Amino acid sequence: MSEILNWSLSGSATLIALVVGYLFGSIPFGIILTKLAGGPDLRSIGSGNIGATNVLRTGNKKLAAATLVGDMLKGTVAVLVAWHWLGGPQAALIAAVGAFLGHLFPVWIGFKGGKGVATYLGVLIGLNGWIALAFAAIWLAVAWLSRYSSLSALTASVLAPLLLWFAVGMHQAAAVMAVLTLLLWIMHRANISRLLAGNEGRIGQKG
């Protein structure tokens, strides 16, 4: 607990890291890549979401994969840039928050972004690769058992902060990722309602 309270980053450095992270996170790769490929405005199809899942609804699997990678890497790059050039691990955590908020509420497209799963994973990659692998493994395991993408993300996001705290002792990172988990759950509130009602769409389900 003392590690969490011992915050040494200055106010100006904190603000810079937050803004840098936000600018990285707000890059709408789904919209950019879809437009470059000659596709429709991503916000006008499916759920209107800017993430890889909605890109997949265009029928272009490669484009969806590229969007997934882009949304992950913007979180990773934001964390690493802040870590190495803006003030070390604490700056990286602030940039992680900025990147996640940037993806959820990107300034370039009216503050209407995605749900944050890929960027959440990208942030984890920057903070601790082993925990990021654990997140991915948990996601895959739950997806294989349940066939629910949303349930997989919700489960993995709950366990990631616990692993950061207890498995690797990254207490500040665990606290920050717990906040991001809460935001991710809020963004998935419609999915949670459908899961509870038993009508959430399953992976691979058509129609």
Side-chain angles (χ1 to χ4, degrees):
M1 185 65 69
S2 61
E3 181 196 354
I4 297 175
L5 297 176
N6 184 24
W7 191 262
S8 60
L9 201 65
S10 70
S12 59
T14 297
L15 179 59
I16 292 170
L18 184 66
V19 170
V20 168
Y22 178 84
L23 292 176
F24 275 112
S26 63
I27 302 171
F29 279 104
I31 291 178
I32 293 171
L33 294 174
T34 302
K35 285 187 176 181
L36 288 176
D41 187 329
L42 198 56
R43 294 164 291 181
S44 68
I45 64 172
S47 65
N49 194 277
I50 67 168
T53 300
N54 206 37
V55 175
L56 191 59
R57 293 189 175 100
T58 66
N60 193 325
K61 293 182 179 179
K62 291 182 179 179
L63 205 61
T67 299
L68 177 64
V69 171
D71 285 345
M72 284 172 49
L73 289 182
K74 67 187 183 183
T76 305
V77 171
V79 167
L80 294 180
V81 166
W83 195 311
H84 292 289
W85 288 291
L86 298 178
Q90 291 182 343
L93 293 178
I94 295 300
V97 174
F100 195 73
L101 291 175
H103 181 75
L104 300 186
F105 311 108
V107 63
W108 320 112
I109 52 175
F111 300 100
K112 295 180 180 179
K115 294 181 179 179
V117 179
T119 305
Y120 186 105
L121 176 55
V123 163
L124 275 178
I125 292 172
L127 294 175
N128 188 291
W130 291 110
I131 303 303
L133 284 174
F135 178 98
I138 294 165
W139 192 100
L140 289 170
V142 176
W144 183 76
L145 291 170
S146 70
R147 310 304 297 172
Y148 288 123
S149 175
S150 58
L151 181 61
S152 304
L154 293 169
T155 303
S157 69
V158 167
L159 294 177
L162 296 175
L163 290 171
L164 282 167
W165 186 286
F166 293 107
V168 295
M170 296 179 66
H171 297 157
Q172 288 182 345
V176 168
M177 294 309 296
V179 173
L180 299 194
T181 292
L182 176 60
L183 290 172
L184 188 145
W185 275 61
I186 292 172
M187 299 305 295
H188 280 78
R189 57 192 180 277
N191 302 87
I192 294 170
S193 295
R194 289 194 294 268
L195 284 167
L196 293 174
N199 55 18
E200 173 76 324
R202 294 179 184 267
I203 297 172
Q205 180 178 324
K206 297 181 179 180

